[in-house]
């Protein structure tokens, strides 16, 4: 694959170069007879998944479908577009550059932790918006973001996590690559209501492997067998260097140990720049939901489409099935509509 010229997130979203019409290109695969990637053929960067009793919601970075595009599925394969989950932005934010929302239920309501452009600092910051329903509308009425670190280039890629003891945590990345600094991943405890941070943050992961060029980002945690597995992305998201790594720990705030010196998910002949996704547990095991470019259309329409791949966790070993268009394995549905 031939690398493409560097393209900034700001350039992509400002130009609309990777946006497509609402409702276009949705998948035709059916979970009862295997599935075909991409499961969402439209531009849905940085997908975050919420599982509910009736299925799944997917939230993605802003695009043609609004500040917080929302889709719904019974099975992770067949998706329908719901709408814009955050039609009104927060008082502290400028329009545009709404990135990577992830949603968690807190006391019967739904909290979306998301990245937006902070007006006061001209850097990305993290906010929390609340809704009564998983499809929104999510409302952030605060005068300031939940987290702002302009001295570190800003902060992005918020990922909420509920530990087995019920405590809430937030993981994120400092956006150092936006300010000629390095980037790291952090974790900090959230208050019980999920609306503020408590205590001190912990730096949980840094770039220390040859493949982790440019940045480290997109954290998401899942537990298995009493251990914590952190899926993260690194590399240049606009070319074939971008991929996914996994680290393991015995506590959410670490210490974390990377399981491989190579990415566990990387580009191949059918998918370029796979990453920034989320591990999701279903009735059939664990799946990784992520975005990837068409190899010959990086930085162009249809943008970063949504893929799913099987995850196998075996103690000190984690593998993700490489990007594959044709997948004969069926995913059991949560319900049938």
């Amino acid at each position: 694959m031939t690398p493409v010229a560097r393209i900034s997130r700001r350039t992509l979203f400002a130009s609309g170069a990777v946006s497509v019409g609402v409702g276009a290109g949705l998948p035709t695969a059916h979970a009862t007879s295997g599935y075909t990637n991409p499961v969402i053929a439209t531009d849905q960067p940085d997908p975050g998944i919420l599982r509910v009793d009736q299925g799944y919601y997917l939230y993605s970075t802003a695009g043609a479908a609004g500040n917080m595009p929302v889709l719904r599925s019974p099975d992770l394969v067949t998706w329908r577009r719901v709408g814009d989950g955050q039609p009104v932005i927060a008082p502290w934010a400028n329009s545009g550059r709404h990135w990577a929302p992830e949603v968690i239920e807190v006391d019967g309501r739904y909290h979306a932790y998301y990245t937006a452009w902070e007006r006061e600092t001209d850097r990305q910051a993290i906010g929390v918006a609340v809704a009564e329903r998983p499809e929104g509308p999510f409302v952030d009425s605060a005068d300031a973001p939940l987290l702002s670190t302009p001295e570190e280039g800003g902060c992005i890629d918020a990922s909420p996590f509920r530990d087995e003891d019920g405590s809430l945590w937030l993981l994120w990345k400092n956006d150092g690559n936006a300010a000629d600094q390095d980037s790291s991943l952090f974790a900090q405890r959230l208050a019980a209501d999920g609306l503020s941070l408590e205590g001190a943050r912990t730096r949980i992961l840094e770039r220390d492997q040859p493949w982790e060029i440019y940045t480290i980002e997109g954290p998401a945690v899942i537990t298995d067998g009493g251990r914590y597995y952190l899926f993260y992305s690194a590399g240049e998201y606009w070319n074939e260097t971008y991929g996914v790594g996994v680290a393991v720990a015995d506590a959410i705030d670490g210490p974390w140990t990377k399981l491989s010196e190579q990415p566990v998910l990387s580009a191949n002949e059918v998918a370029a720049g796979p990453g920034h996704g989320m591990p999701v547990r279903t009735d059939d095991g664990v799946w990784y939901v992520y975005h990837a470019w068409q190899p010959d259309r990086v930085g162009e329409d249809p943008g970063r489409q949504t893929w799913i791949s099987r995850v196998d966790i075996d103690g000190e070993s984690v593998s993700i099935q490489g990007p594959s268009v044709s997948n004969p394995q069926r995913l059991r549905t949560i319900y049938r509509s």
Side-chain angles (χ1 to χ4, degrees):
M1 186 188 318
T2 302
V4 300
R6 174 173 169 177
I7 307 167
S8 72
R9 289 193 191 200
R10 181 182 300 191
T11 299
L12 281 171
F13 296 128
S15 69
V18 295
S19 296
V20 296
V22 175
L26 293 179
T28 57
H30 298 283
T32 56
S33 58
Y35 68 94
T36 300
N37 274 318
V39 294
I40 302 174
T42 50
D43 184 43
Q44 308 295 157
D46 312 321
I49 302 293
L50 171 70
R51 178 172 175 171
V52 297
D53 290 341
Q54 295 78 26
Y56 305 90
Y57 284 87
L58 182 148
Y59 310 86
S60 68
T61 282
N67 299 313
M68 189 185 295
V70 183
L71 293 88
R72 185 175 180 178
S73 171
D75 52 20
L76 292 180
V77 172
T78 305
W79 294 89
R80 67 174 178 84
R81 199 172 301 283
V82 175
D84 185 355
Q86 192 182 9
V88 179
I89 66 172
W92 56 267
N94 284 325
S95 60
R97 290 163 55 179
H98 270 59
W99 298 347
E102 293 190 15
V103 176
I104 191 170
E105 183 180 354
V106 180
D107 295 331
R109 299 202 297 172
Y110 299 89
H111 291 200
Y113 296 86
Y114 68 99
T115 300
W117 182 6
E118 186 180 10
R119 183 181 305 109
E120 182 175 341
T121 65
D122 197 32
R123 294 290 187 186
Q124 296 295 88
I126 290 170
V128 55
V130 180
E132 300 297 326
R133 301 178 299 173
E135 61 267 35
F138 289 89
V139 177
D140 181 356
S141 58
D143 292 326
L146 172 69
L147 180 66
S148 176
T149 59
E151 69 282 359
E152 298 176 337
C155 49
I156 70 173
D157 295 355
S159 183
F161 174 77
R162 179 178 286 106
D163 208 345
E164 293 180 355
D165 63 1
S167 62
L168 292 172
W169 294 77
L170 190 71
L171 289 77
W172 74 90
K173 162 207 171 180
N174 77 289
D175 200 22
N177 51 279
D180 296 322
Q181 301 179 32
D182 207 350
S183 297
S184 300
L185 301 183
F186 296 87
Q188 188 170 347
R189 188 160 179 162
L190 284 161
D193 64 4
L195 299 178
S196 61
L197 291 159
E198 294 184 340
R201 70 180 189 176
T202 300
R203 189 188 307 266
I204 58 173
L205 222 59
E206 298 178 309
R207 295 190 308 121
D208 56 11
Q209 296 182 348
W211 73 273
E212 296 170 347
I213 64 173
Y214 182 62
T215 194
I216 185 171
E217 60 186 17
V221 172
I222 193 170
T223 58
D224 190 90
R227 307 198 78 190
Y228 300 74
Y229 294 87
L230 169 60
F231 292 66
Y232 67 93
S233 295
E236 297 170 328
Y237 79 94
W238 60 88
N239 63 37
E240 75 279 2
T241 65
Y242 199 68
V244 177
V246 179
V248 65
D250 293 320
I252 182 62
D253 54 352
W256 291 90
T257 301
K258 294 177 183 178
L259 295 182
S260 172
E261 295 181 354
Q262 301 293 329
V264 297
L265 182 69
S266 55
N268 62 14
E269 68 279 2
V270 297
H276 198 137
M278 177 181 287
V280 180
R281 190 177 301 280
T282 76
D283 296 344
D284 292 309
V286 179
W287 301 80
Y288 191 63
V289 183
Y290 58 99
H291 71 228
W293 306 92
Q294 292 182 10
D296 60 346
R297 300 190 66 84
V298 174
E300 303 175 7
D301 283 339
R304 285 169 286 179
Q305 301 168 308
T306 304
W307 293 58
I308 58 175
S309 289
R310 176 84 185 197
V311 177
D312 290 308
I313 301 176
D314 183 13
E316 296 297 321
S317 175
V318 174
S319 62
I320 303 177
Q321 185 182 63
S324 176
V325 172
S326 179
N327 299 272
Q329 182 174 359
R330 177 177 66 88
L331 279 72
R332 278 198 295 271
T333 57
I334 300 302
Y335 78 106
R336 297 186 184 278
S337 57

